[in-house]
């Protein structure tokens, strides 16, 4: 098991991996490897479930036009990422991420439009896979579904979970045992968030922060994490502030 103090000491979470600068596919193994190479604190990725209950990594509900929830994993292999990769399975993604002990794996559970029951089934499968691979120390969970995150906490009480939708108070997140808020950057521009989060012992993550101006604003306010499509720029901004 990795030790608590081994993770990279910065606020940078690469959104869908580090893909943009070098034109890699989002949510690919290649973009995960690049986030790790850069030394990001975390690499975020999105999980869906196929019709035959295989967990796969992709942002949208469709993979290159193929509806993930309606097709088997084998059927999704009909198309490949631009770099030749197949759509990654969660198992393959976790195993790749566990080859190192510096970059956390920020696992977003994507709610489907099918049913909450199916979403909770996906959640249970994901948490079981994390446990079976002994990947708990690497993985934090995020979702736009409050129900999904509460289910994660039921199944893995010590898991770090953060809510994405921006419509829950910090007090509610604290009461439900969440790790923190992971809201759109615009949410934090209104109201008092940062000191209140510190007082409650919660973390603040902002998405998707892609300009140096916004990056500096969140660093000035001591955000715990900053999710970005431009991890190279954010690392440079952080470095320049230390001079």
């Amino acid at each position: 098991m990795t030790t608590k103090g081994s993770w990279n000491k910065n606020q940078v979470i690469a959104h869908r991996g580090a893909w943009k600068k070098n034109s890699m596919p989002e949510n690919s193994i290649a973009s995960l490897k690049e986030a790790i190479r850069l030394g990001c604190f975390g690499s975020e990725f999105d999980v869906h479930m196929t019709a035959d209950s295989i967990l796969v990594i992709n942002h949208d509900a469709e993979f290159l036009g193929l509806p993930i929830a309606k097709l088997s994993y084998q059927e999704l292999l009909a198309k490949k990422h631009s770099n030749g990769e197949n759509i990654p399975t969660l198992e393959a993604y976790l195993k790749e991420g566990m080859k190192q002990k510096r970059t956390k794996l920020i696992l977003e559970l994507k709610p489907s439009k099918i049913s909450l029951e199916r979403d909770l089934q996906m959640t249970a499968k994901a948490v079981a896979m994390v446990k079976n691979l002994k990947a708990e120390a690497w993985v934090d969970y995020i979702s736009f579904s409050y129900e999904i995150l509460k289910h994660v906490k039921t199944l893995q009480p010590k898991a770090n979970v953060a809510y994405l939708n921006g419509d829950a108070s910090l007090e509610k997140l604290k009461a439900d045992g969440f790790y923190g808020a992971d809201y759109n950057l615009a949410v934090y521009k209104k109201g008092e968030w940062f000191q209140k989060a510190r007082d409650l012992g919660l973390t603040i993550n902002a998405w998707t922060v892609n300009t140096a101006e916004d990056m500096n604003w969140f660093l000035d306010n001591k955000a715990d994490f900053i999710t970005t499509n431009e991890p190279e720029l954010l690392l440079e901004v952080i470095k320049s502030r230390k001079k």
Side-chain angles (χ1 to χ4, degrees):
M1 189 63 69
T2 187
T3 58
K4 189 176 181 182
S6 66
W7 307 111
N8 289 312
K9 301 294 192 294
N10 58 56
Q11 297 91 338
V12 184
I13 295 178
H15 187 228
R16 309 175 198 170
W19 55 272
K20 188 175 179 182
K21 186 174 182 181
N22 295 310
S23 300
M24 295 176 184
E26 301 173 18
N27 273 309
S28 62
I29 297 287
S31 67
L32 168 63
K33 287 181 175 178
E34 182 63 6
I36 291 167
R37 188 192 70 78
L38 288 171
C40 299
F41 168 80
S43 187
E44 183 265 356
F45 58 100
D46 305 284
V47 175
H48 296 264
M49 189 166 70
T50 65
D52 55 344
S53 299
I54 303 297
L55 301 180
V56 294
I57 311 303
N58 196 62
H59 181 264
D60 297 333
E62 294 187 349
F63 175 64
L64 302 175
L66 301 175
I68 294 170
K70 295 180 180 178
L71 297 177
S72 69
Y73 176 67
Q74 202 63 36
E75 288 173 306
L76 294 177
L77 299 181
K79 294 197 177 181
K80 293 182 182 288
H81 276 303
S82 58
N83 66 347
E85 279 186 42
N86 292 322
I87 185 171
T89 62
L90 176 59
E91 182 176 12
Y93 205 92
L94 291 174
K95 285 180 175 177
E96 184 62 42
M98 290 174 69
K99 291 177 181 177
Q100 53 80 49
K101 297 180 179 181
R102 304 288 292 171
T103 297
K104 296 267 278 189
L105 307 176
I106 313 301
L107 192 165
E108 179 175 346
L109 290 156
K110 283 283 191 179
S112 70
K113 293 180 179 175
I114 298 172
S115 69
L116 176 59
E117 182 183 10
R118 192 176 192 279
D119 292 346
L120 298 183
Q121 181 189 358
M122 173 188 68
T123 302
K125 286 183 73 71
V127 172
M129 182 169 289
V130 168
K131 286 183 177 179
N132 290 340
L133 293 175
K134 295 182 170 57
E136 293 97 333
W138 280 262
V139 174
D140 290 353
Y141 298 90
I142 58 176
S143 184
F144 281 95
S145 165
Y146 211 88
E147 292 82 4
I148 280 176
L149 293 174
K150 287 180 76 171
H151 198 45
V152 171
K153 290 296 288 184
T154 299
L155 297 166
Q156 188 185 330
K158 293 183 179 178
N160 291 338
V161 306
Y163 182 52
L164 292 167
N165 209 40
D167 59 354
S169 69
L170 292 175
E171 290 84 356
K172 179 173 173 58
L173 299 179
K174 178 70 174 180
D176 285 326
F178 285 20
Y179 181 58
D182 189 349
Y183 292 167
N184 182 271
L185 75 166
V187 173
Y188 298 116
K189 300 291 181 78
K190 306 167 196 162
E192 296 297 321
W193 291 94
F194 300 94
Q195 188 58 53
K196 185 184 284 188
R198 284 190 280 274
D199 291 344
L200 290 170
L202 295 173
T203 58
I204 292 285
N205 188 357
W207 57 268
T208 305
V209 182
N210 294 327
T211 69
E213 180 182 6
D214 282 332
M215 290 170 181
N216 276 303
W217 190 85
F218 280 100
L219 291 168
D220 288 345
N221 280 285
K222 297 182 171 56
D224 299 279
F225 310 111
I226 299 172
T227 298
T228 179
N229 292 328
E230 308 280 359
E232 298 88 354
L233 175 60
L234 180 51
L235 286 164
E236 196 56 45
V237 168
I238 291 169
K239 185 178 176 183
S240 70
R241 290 167 63 96
K242 293 178 179 177
K243 291 178 181 176

